[in-house]
């Protein structure tokens, strides 16, 4: 199991665990983490699961592909250098302890 820390825009911390291979979005939704709206269900077509990856994990998570990059340009919340869609982050052993902040204004 992979441990993940999601911090809400207001600072509320949610610590959850997920299975390797599942997406961060799936894991957050399964555990009822508020702020991950996921309107498209993980199809990378809505940007309502926008998160800011903590700098410590930015390299391991990697950058967005072209499609995700386009979706992030349309996100309601401001884009940052470590912005990602949580539906596109696949959990793995190297991401154990991953920490992200949920972007505000997801709806």
């Amino acid at each position: 199991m992979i441990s993940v820390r999601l911090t809400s825009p207001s600072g509320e911390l949610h610590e959850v665990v997920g299975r390797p291979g599942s997406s961060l979005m799936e894991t957050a939704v399964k555990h009822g983490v508020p702020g991950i709206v996921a309107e498209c269900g993980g199809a990378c077509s809505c940007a309502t699961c926008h998160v800011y990856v903590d700098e410590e994990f930015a390299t391991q998570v990697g950058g967005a592909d072209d499609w995700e990059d386009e979706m992030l340009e349309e996100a309601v919340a401001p884009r940052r250098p470590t912005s990602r869609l949580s539906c596109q982050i696949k959990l793995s052993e190297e991401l154990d302890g991953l920490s992200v902040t949920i972007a505000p204004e997801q709806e």
Side-chain angles (χ1 to χ4, degrees), residues 8-9 11 15 26-27 39 42 46 53 62 66-68 73 76-77 80 82-83 95 100 104:
S8 73
E15 296 186 73
E26 292 167 330
T27 302
E39 285 179 0
C46 72
V53 176
D66 291 342
W67 184 254
E68 181 182 356
E73 288 300 322
V76 175
R80 297 181 185 168
T82 62
S83 285
L95 294 181
V100 303

Side-chain angles (χ1 to χ4, degrees), residues 17-99:
V17 293
R19 297 184 185 280
S22 63
S23 75
L24 176 57
M25 185 254 350
E26 292 167 330
T27 302
V29 169
K30 177 181 175 182
H31 290 284
V33 175
I36 302 291
V37 179
E39 285 179 0
C40 73
C44 192
S45 62
C46 72
T48 61
C49 66
H50 183 189
V51 297
Y52 304 122
V53 176
D54 283 9
E55 290 289 333
E56 173 185 351
F57 285 93
T59 301
Q60 292 99 314
V61 169
D65 66 16
D66 291 342
W67 184 254
E68 181 182 356
D69 188 59
E70 193 173 308
M71 288 293 101
L72 285 165
E73 288 300 322
E74 303 299 321
V76 175
R79 186 171 183 179
R80 297 181 185 168
T82 62
S83 285
R84 291 293 310 270
L85 298 181
S86 61
C87 66
Q88 300 302 298
I89 299 173
K90 297 296 180 196
L91 299 182
S92 65
E93 293 296 330
E94 74 173 356
L95 294 181
D96 189 38
L98 175 64
S99 184

